[in-house]
Amino acid sequence: MFLDSLLARNPALTDAATDLHRRGAIPPDTYVMDLDAIEGNAALLAAEAQRLGLDLWFVVKQLGRNPELIRAIARHIPKYAAIDPPEARTLHAAGARAGNLGHLVQIPHRALPEMLAWRPETVTVYDVANARAVSEAALRLGLVQDVLVRIEGAEGSVYPGQEGGVPLAGIEEFAAAVERLPGVRIAGVTAFPCVLCDPVTGLPAPTPNFEIALKARQTVAARGHEDLILSAPSATSVATLPMLAELGATHGEPGHSLTGTTPLHARDLGQPETPAYVYVTEVAHTLADGRPAVFGGGFYARSQITSALLPRTGLRLPVQDAPPQNIDYYRLLDAPGPGADVRVGETALLAFRTQIFVTRSTVAVVAGLSTGAPRLVGLYDAQGKAVS
């Protein structure tokens, strides 16, 4: 999906990744991350948000929750939105500040004392029971915690496994109940996804959830709540920030734009964010019919992979589809044409949409590409822990 944009805009990363693999410095099934490019992308996003009067909370699940990358991003976007408690702990340990906890995954009740003690800017709650739990934990800590109301998405707009939230029709009843809780204050609303890119053109547009969230915020504001937040996550990038501001959002949550890998970036090479990662694997074996198999481990069901590059010869081979219900021990490439030379052990490079935190991949962080002096900073697992 992103191989063309990567080769066109950041060939130094593909060269460095190839060299690292050939020297044995990284194993197959490794995402190589360009630290300089990611920090540069964060700086671009921060500057545009400041120009528009928007706030940002950055997201790192797609980056493998990596501490080196977290610190680089936080130099420009200090606050994060953590999608679940393990991610929140990694972000906190790396020194970033908590912007929003509990979205997309609610904070388990027994983890609330730990995480509220960090003094997060907001905590997202899906129902009155979770708001009550936050209130009780906050009171024990001697504070009042700001909460965001997760609004239930429009029918057909919510990804499986992400269901939940307050229906728009129930927002008055919800607000009345939460207003009686002494340890919380309603600070705003959020929904997901609020923006999506067209699968054909890559162009971003608001989803029905954005309009639902706006109506919910208006209802809550009419009850006397002032300066309410509206965080409108998904597909947040330099290109979509003006839309967020125009439609009335206060916060965006950049994720894939930090690596230049939203669907818009795959189709428009003029986007300001630089492609910042490449997936490195190698040829494991060749089938009797000539199809090479490469080592897997880092493939993701929504990756939209199209082709792989074998840099030793420059050969580009289509990547065959694989059913997501099977484990990706390997991934098959199309058989090369007659006379093509494909060797076991040779490097293969791919670039596609990923969520590294749900893979079993290694993450290699490389610095210095912007100055022509690349160096391997370290190797990590998909949850951000250093590995030898």
Side-chain angles (χ1 to χ4, degrees), residues 82-126:
I83 63 102
D84 64 14
E87 183 165 292
R89 292 185 179 101
T90 301
L91 285 152
H92 179 72
R97 294 161 56 194
N100 184 25
L101 305 180
H103 192 223
L104 299 162
V105 179
Q106 293 283 268
I107 303 173
H109 290 189
R110 293 168 187 82
L112 282 168
E114 170 197 6
M115 295 188 178
L116 295 188
W118 303 342
R119 303 302 300 267
E121 185 176 354
T122 62
V123 170
T124 294
V125 293
Y126 282 44

Side-chain angles (χ1 to χ4, degrees), residues 201-224:
T201 66
L203 295 176
T207 71
N209 297 336
F210 207 135
E211 180 64 25
I212 291 172
L214 286 166
K215 291 178 179 177
R217 182 175 65 173
Q218 185 177 25
T219 299
V220 175
R223 298 181 61 85

Side-chain angles (χ1 to χ4, degrees), residues 25-33 35 63-71 90 94 356 359-367 375-388:
I26 60 173
D29 182 25
T30 294
Y31 286 95
V32 180
M33 318 296 291
L35 180 66
L63 301 176
R65 300 169 170 172
N66 187 276
E68 291 288 348
L69 304 180
I70 289 168
R71 285 188 283 268
T90 301
I356 293 175
T359 73
R360 54 188 188 276
S361 302
T362 300
V363 176
V365 178
V366 174
R375 60 183 177 86
L376 180 62
V377 174
L379 297 178
Y380 302 83
D381 69 12
Q383 302 302 320
K385 296 178 182 177
V387 298
S388 58

